[in-house]
């Protein structure tokens, strides 16, 4: 059990072993040239600053690299969003999380139905015996095409309201998925988001949804510790780098 950087973590009365020197980054970057695309949102743009004699590009003689970046967090890479995505009141992701280390359960679901239902989740996640606070959902088949997939206009899978109600019933506060959205591409009501965040009467403002992750096939279904740290932007959603650490229950 000796590793370079290991830890025993006591979580809700159970001891877990984990190796902090074995991080698994499940983010998709907001790429310079290639990124996924959803909802027809514009691709990220990187521009070296030009101001007077200053050029923000060392390759072109500048003293340093300094770029303006334009992107939409919802369209082109891994992002974490909060209830502010669907509220009239401004709620920012920047200071939302009071905690950023969670026990998470990774599950995989086949893409042979048009949506994810409670039944499809129950078949692979019958109960939440370990009290995971986060659920990571990977759609099968899984491959690296997800790193650059064009979802716009393709009606990707979505979370049926029965699935979201089931997730709520398990006490899950953080959903992570490789899909571009919890919701159907053309659902103007964002039914799944609203059901998860508790619209209109049971708002839970500490929940998050992270979309467009990529979990490689080498990472098996099971329990992980999740470090979730969206970038500090004063808006509803921000680029995010979720990192997993395998969690093994110590008998
Ligand atoms: Zn989003």
């Amino acid at each position: 059990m000796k590793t370079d950087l290991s830890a025993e973590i006591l979580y809700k009365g159970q001891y877990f072993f984990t190796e902090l020197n074995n991080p698994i980054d499940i983010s998709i970057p907001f790429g310079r040239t290639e990124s996924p695309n959803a909802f027809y949102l514009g691709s990220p743009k990187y521009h070296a600053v030009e101001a007077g004699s200053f050029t923000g590009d060392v390759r072109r003689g500048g003293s340093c690299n300094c770029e303006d970046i334009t992107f939409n967090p919802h369209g082109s890479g891994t992002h974490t969003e909060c209830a502010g995505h669907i509220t009239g009141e401004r709620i920012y992701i920047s200071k939302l999380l009071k905690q950023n280390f969670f026990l998470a359960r990774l599950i995989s679901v086949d893409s042979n139905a048009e949506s994810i239902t409670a039944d499809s989740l129950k078949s692979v996640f019958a109960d939440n015996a370990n009290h995971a606070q986060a659920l990571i959902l990977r759609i099968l088949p899984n491959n690296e095409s997800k790193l650059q997939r064009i979802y716009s206009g393709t009606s990707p899978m979505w979370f049926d309201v029965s699935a979201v109600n089931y997730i709520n019933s398990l006490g899950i506060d953080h959903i992570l998925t490789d899909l571009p959205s919890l919701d159907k591409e053309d659902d103007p009501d964002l039914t799944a988001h609203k059901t998860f965040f508790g619209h209109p009467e049971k708002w839970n403002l500490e929940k998050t949804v992270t979309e467009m992750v990529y979990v490689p096939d080498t990472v098996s279904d099971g329990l992980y510790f999740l470090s979730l740290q969206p970038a500090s932007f004063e808006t509803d959603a921000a680029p995010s780098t979720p990192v997993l650490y395998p969690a093994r229950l110590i008998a």
Side-chain angles (χ1 to χ4, degrees), residues 104-115:
R105 177 77 180 261
L106 167 65
I107 61 173
S108 299
V109 172
D110 282 321
S111 59
N112 51 14
E114 62 178 7
S115 67

Side-chain angles (χ1 to χ4, degrees), residues 11-251:
Y11 174 72
K12 298 202 185 222
Q14 293 183 304
Y15 280 95
F16 293 86
F17 175 76
T18 192
E19 293 178 5
L20 298 174
N21 57 322
N22 265 334
I24 303 164
D25 177 349
I26 59 167
S27 70
I28 298 178
F30 288 71
R32 299 183 81 86
T33 53
E34 289 182 313
S35 283
N37 179 269
F39 303 107
Y40 301 101
L41 295 166
S43 300
K45 291 182 179 56
Y46 294 75
H47 288 295
V49 170
E50 306 280 348
S53 60
F54 177 76
T55 299
D57 187 340
V58 173
R59 292 163 306 170
R60 289 195 283 126
S63 56
C64 62
N65 294 313
C66 178
E67 295 179 315
D68 289 326
I69 304 168
T70 308
F71 67 95
N72 187 304
H74 295 284
S76 307
T78 304
H79 60 279
T80 298
E81 60 202 35
C82 65
H85 191 40
I86 52 169
T87 54
E89 178 195 349
R90 286 280 194 183
I91 298 172
Y92 300 146
I93 191 71
S94 50
K95 297 283 182 272
L96 185 94
L97 287 173
K98 307 284 183 285
Q99 179 188 337
N100 49 37
F101 200 72
F102 306 100
L103 187 69
R105 177 77 180 261
L106 167 65
I107 61 173
S108 299
V109 172
D110 282 321
S111 59
N112 51 14
E114 62 178 7
S115 67
I116 296 149
T117 62
D119 285 344
S120 54
L121 292 181
K122 283 175 187 170
S123 66
V124 287
F125 191 21
D127 61 42
N128 190 11
N130 299 110
H131 310 290
Q133 295 157 290
L135 178 67
I136 305 160
L137 188 118
R138 169 171 53 191
I139 304 297
L140 302 176
N142 185 53
N143 57 59
E144 287 190 356
S145 70
K146 287 177 180 172
L147 298 171
Q148 291 146 24
R149 191 168 294 178
I150 306 302
Y151 290 101
S152 305
T154 68
S155 194
M157 284 181 87
W158 68 92
F159 284 64
D160 181 76
V161 73
S162 67
V164 182
N165 281 324
Y166 178 60
I167 290 168
N168 284 339
S169 77
L170 295 175
I172 300 286
D173 285 339
H174 306 281
I175 300 178
L176 297 87
T177 175
D178 48 15
L179 294 169
S181 178
L182 289 196
D183 273 297
K184 194 174 180 184
E185 187 176 26
D186 59 358
D187 177 4
D189 291 329
L190 280 86
T191 312
H193 280 82
K194 285 181 176 171
T195 304
F196 182 61
F197 287 116
H199 174 276
E201 285 168 355
K202 290 185 179 169
W203 285 105
N204 183 329
L205 302 183
E206 296 185 11
K207 287 183 165 184
T208 67
V209 173
T210 300
E211 293 158 339
M212 278 196 207
V213 301
Y214 174 64
V215 187
D217 276 342
T218 49
V219 182
S220 14
D221 284 6
L223 288 172
Y224 293 86
F225 286 105
L226 162 71
S227 170
L228 185 63
Q229 302 192 39
S232 200
F233 280 84
E234 290 194 329
T235 183
D236 63 298
S240 177
T241 308
V243 175
L244 305 183
Y245 302 89
R248 198 171 75 238
L249 192 58
I250 301 172

